[in-house]
Amino acid sequence: MRGKDEDEDTKPKHTSADDLSDGFILDQDDRRLLSYKDGRMSIEEEQSGEASDREGAEDEGEDAGEGDAEDSSGSEGHADLDSDGESAGESERPGEEQRRASGHASPGGGGGAASTELPYVFAAPESCEDLKALLSGRPTEEQLLVLERIQKCHHPSLAVGNRAKLEKLFGFLLEYVGELATDEPPALGTIDKLVVQLYDLCQMFPESASSCMKFVLRDAMHEMEGVVEARGRARFPGLDVLIYLKIAGMLFPTSDFRHPVVTPALVCLSQLLTKCPVLSLQDAVKGLFVCCVFLDYVSLSGRLVPELINFLVGILYIAAPNSQSPGYTLVHPFRALGKNSELLLVSDERDVATWQRRHLALHWASGPPARTETEANHIRLSCLAVCLALVKRCVHMYGGLPSFHDIVRPLRALLTEHLASRSHPRELQELIRATLTDMETQEERCQPLICEKSRPVPLKLFTPRLVKVLEFGRKQGSSREEQERKRLMHKHRREFKGAVREIRKDNQFLARMQLAEAMERDAERKRKVKQLFNSLATQEGEWKALKRKKLKK
């Protein structure tokens, strides 16, 4: 109501493709009249109406108070593992607010300078190089404007071949997003804005979009399988594959029991958490990002992911001193003892005292290692904070399962060990205590499936039924109505049998008569045929005799 963006006060919440997005209210028609003047686009609007609306909004904003911003809090899923897109978005908001206040808005969401400099008609790219030539070197807003104008100029309703052009555009844009993710540093803010264009194209052409996404995931999985077969393990993939997995969960529904795109993506995520060992801080950041994406996938369906629980147990283990008898068993890719068994352990008390909890930037997954040991220790503590937030989210998600306490037993032991060490910052210790409290207070909301209890079916007993007979043909205890009913039934049965017998006799008589008539007709026919044969034989004999006489003469 105060004219601020929603993400200024709240953290971004994951939205899957099966979200109905029906929580909006259409208060008024704010469409503007679009016209052209001297070859340029101009927008006519009622300045007086907007001024009055703006004054009313300011008055309401003053009466609203300052307590609303403190009430909103984002989910703890991946609140600590965000990309650089937020900082880029915050830097662009002041300019947007100024444009919004001045009343000048360009078509497609771009700035006024972009609408005057960029052409309104763009040729559809035939390859990814053509798309990069159109988008590279431009600001994010201009890139969005170019893509929007390409879609409008080549809408399927305008020409026959436009559908194929826009289907190719989705694949080219997906490849372009992957290249942006591999840049140094990765353009995560631009990728965040381009996802909207990918979503629009996916809604227009779902089959081609699913084919492109499946091809990308299949390529990444084949490459990882080849490395696993050769070496027995594989490194975490690049940031482009991780971004593809994140985008797949935003474009397609993740709550389906089986989906042609999401199901392979889930298999790929589980393979990453089980086949890729954590050998560096970059691997830890990538693994935690995969855990965040995994939880986003199963947030609606509530599926239990053992690979996710195992990875969080491993992260907590390598953040604590090694113990001889931990009371639980580590599963691959983590090892109880080794070079990286204490990768996230921080022993410097000065670094612990100077650490402040903040967002763990995603560029650490692909950027160079930390320049100083203090920076590396701060990254280790941030990774531990993200892991604890994910553990707390898992506790709330799986708290009602019948086997919940068996699932979280290794997590509870590790959290108790971390809390006993007292070497973590106060904020992390409070988070550990809150997570342990949630584990203890969770109650079983779901009961295991069991068969419905029913009385056992008794076995059939072949004991004869004995009935006392007072008179022959009459049973004891039968009333007059029962006897009359039985008499009528017996009479009906007898009459029915007699009628059937008479009908059977009539049918037999008719069959005999039909057979006699047929035999009589056959005999008459045979007699006439025999007579004809005899007359023909006589004529043939007479003709032969006449012929012999002529020969003798």
Side-chain angles (χ1 to χ4, degrees):
M1 296 173 64
R2 290 188 295 232
K4 294 183 179 181
D5 291 339
E6 190 176 5
D7 52 354
E8 289 185 4
D9 298 329
T10 61
K11 299 296 181 182
K13 187 177 180 182
H14 170 73
T15 303
S16 178
D18 44 4
D19 190 0
L20 298 179
S21 299
D22 53 355
F24 67 92
I25 300 176
L26 188 60
D27 294 332
Q28 60 183 358
D29 189 4
D30 56 353
R31 293 176 295 181
R32 299 185 178 92
L33 184 60
L34 183 65
S35 61
Y36 288 90
K37 184 177 181 180
D38 297 335
R40 293 186 178 181
M41 188 179 298
S42 62
I43 300 176
E44 298 179 5
E45 56 185 2
E46 299 179 1
Q47 300 293 339
S48 59
E50 287 192 355
S52 60
D53 294 342
R54 218 168 17 249
E55 291 175 1
E58 290 176 358
D59 296 339
E60 293 177 358
E62 293 176 358
D63 298 337
E66 299 178 355
D68 297 338
E70 299 178 358
D71 296 338
S72 60
S73 59
S75 62
E76 295 183 355
H78 56 285
D80 294 335
L81 190 62
D82 293 338
S83 63
D84 297 343
E86 292 187 357
S87 60
E90 292 176 358
S91 63
E92 294 172 1
R93 284 177 195 136
E96 294 176 358
E97 292 179 356
Q98 293 176 3
R99 288 193 298 271
R100 202 177 297 116
S102 62
H104 296 285
S106 64
S115 62
T116 56
E117 295 177 1
L118 292 177
Y120 292 101
V121 178
F122 288 91
E126 296 295 334
S127 62
C128 185
E129 287 72 14
D130 297 343
L131 182 63
K132 287 192 294 184
L134 290 175
L135 302 181
S136 60
R138 299 181 184 273
T140 303
E141 297 298 332
E142 290 189 6
Q143 294 185 23
L144 297 177
L145 188 58
V146 169
L147 291 173
E148 185 176 355
R149 290 180 178 178
I150 290 176
Q151 296 180 38
K152 289 182 178 179
C153 294
H154 301 85
H155 195 270
S157 60
L158 300 179
V160 179
N162 288 345
R163 181 181 180 87
K165 294 179 181 179
L166 293 184
E167 287 179 354
K168 294 179 181 179
L169 179 62
F170 180 88
F172 299 153
L173 186 57
L174 194 65
E175 185 177 354
Y176 177 68
V177 167
E179 294 186 0
L180 291 179
T182 56
D183 290 343
E184 187 62 36
L188 299 178
T190 304
I191 294 175
D192 190 25
K193 300 293 182 62
L194 292 179
V195 171
V196 180
Q197 304 294 331
L198 287 173
Y199 181 81
D200 294 339
L201 291 173
C202 181
Q203 295 299 312
M204 295 174 63
F205 315 106
E207 295 182 359
S208 61
S210 62
S211 300
C212 294
M213 189 61 69
K214 283 191 294 184
F215 176 78
V216 171
L217 297 179
R218 189 186 304 116
D219 191 12
M221 287 299 297
H222 285 176
E223 183 178 357
M224 189 179 71
E225 288 176 358
V227 177
V228 171
E229 291 179 0
R231 302 180 180 179
R233 62 181 185 179
R235 298 293 299 271
F236 276 95
L239 190 58
D240 53 346
V241 178
L242 302 181
I243 294 296
Y244 287 148
L245 292 172
K246 177 68 176 178
I247 292 176
M250 301 173 68
L251 299 185
F252 303 97
T254 57
S255 61
D256 293 354
F257 180 73
R258 186 177 290 106
H259 192 272
V261 178
V262 177
T263 302
L266 289 172
V267 175
C268 183
L269 290 171
S270 62
Q271 291 291 323
L272 292 178
L273 294 181
T274 54
K275 300 295 184 182
C276 302
V278 178
L279 304 178
S280 61
L281 291 179
Q282 287 81 2
D283 293 341
V285 175
K286 290 179 181 179
L288 291 173
F289 179 77
V290 172
C291 293
C292 293
V293 175
F294 223 142
L295 280 178
D296 290 339
Y297 271 59
V298 299
S299 60
L300 293 177
S301 60
R303 297 177 182 176
L304 178 62
V305 186
E307 297 87 354
L308 173 64
I309 304 297
N310 172 58
F311 192 86
L312 294 179
V313 169
I315 291 294
L316 290 176
Y317 180 81
I318 63 177
N322 293 338
S323 58
Q324 298 298 330
S325 57
Y328 47 84
T329 304
L330 285 179
V331 187
H332 186 79
F334 295 95
R335 296 181 180 179
L337 298 174
K339 179 181 178 182
N340 300 307
S341 59
E342 297 180 352
L343 180 64
L344 300 181
L345 180 62
V346 179
S347 57
D348 194 345
E349 296 182 357
R350 292 177 298 178
D351 295 340
V352 172
T354 57
W355 176 78
Q356 293 181 356
R357 186 178 179 182
R358 61 184 63 184
H359 301 312
L360 185 60
L362 192 56
H363 68 81
W364 287 111
S366 61
R371 293 184 292 271
T372 61
E373 186 64 22
T374 301
E375 186 178 3
N377 288 334
H378 288 176
I379 295 174
R380 292 186 178 97
L381 292 174
S382 299
C383 291
L384 181 59
V386 173
C387 181
L388 292 175
L390 292 174
V391 170
K392 191 173 183 180
R393 187 178 176 186
C394 291
V395 169
H396 289 290
M397 183 179 297
Y398 304 130
L401 296 179
S403 58
F404 170 73
H405 294 286
D406 296 334
I407 294 172
V408 300
R409 184 180 294 114
L411 292 173
R412 183 185 294 110
L414 281 167
L415 291 177
T416 306
E417 182 180 351
H418 278 274
L419 187 62
S421 64
R422 298 184 180 277
S423 60
H424 298 308
R426 182 178 56 84
E427 191 173 358
L428 290 184
Q429 292 182 5
E430 293 177 356
L431 184 58
I432 294 173
R433 291 192 187 93
T435 306
L436 288 173
T437 304
D438 292 342
M439 288 183 181
E440 297 298 334
T441 56
Q442 289 294 332
E443 298 179 357
E444 293 185 3
R445 297 188 298 268
C446 304
Q447 296 295 332
L449 295 178
I450 58 176
C451 296
E452 184 181 1
K453 293 183 179 180
S454 59
R455 297 181 61 183
V457 180
L459 298 176
K460 292 184 179 180
L461 301 179
F462 297 97
T463 305
R465 183 182 180 184
L466 302 177
V467 181
K468 294 181 180 180
V469 180
L470 298 179
E471 297 180 6
F472 182 76
R474 291 186 179 182
K475 294 184 179 180
Q476 182 181 3
S478 59
S479 61
R480 181 176 298 178
E481 289 81 4
E482 186 69 19
Q483 292 178 2
E484 184 67 19
R485 189 177 68 84
K486 291 181 179 180
R487 187 183 65 80
L488 292 176
M489 289 177 61
H490 178 69
K491 183 177 180 180
H492 171 266
R493 191 181 301 111
R494 186 176 57 202
E495 294 294 336
F496 180 77
K497 289 182 179 179
V500 171
R501 191 184 303 111
E502 293 296 330
I503 292 173
R504 189 180 296 115
K505 288 182 181 180
D506 294 343
N507 291 335
Q508 291 177 358
F509 175 76
L510 291 175
R512 286 196 299 270
M513 294 300 295
Q514 291 176 0
L515 180 62
E517 291 178 359
M519 292 180 65
E520 184 178 357
R521 288 196 302 269
D522 291 344
E524 182 67 22
R525 183 178 62 81
K526 289 181 180 179
R527 185 183 63 79
K528 290 182 179 181
V529 170
K530 187 176 181 180
Q531 184 178 0
L532 289 175
F533 274 108
N534 291 335
S535 61
L536 289 175
T538 303
Q539 291 178 5
E540 185 179 2
E542 292 178 355
W543 183 77
K544 288 182 180 179
L546 182 61
K547 188 175 181 179
R548 282 196 297 268
K549 288 181 180 180
K550 289 182 178 180
L551 292 174
K552 288 180 180 182
K553 292 180 179 181

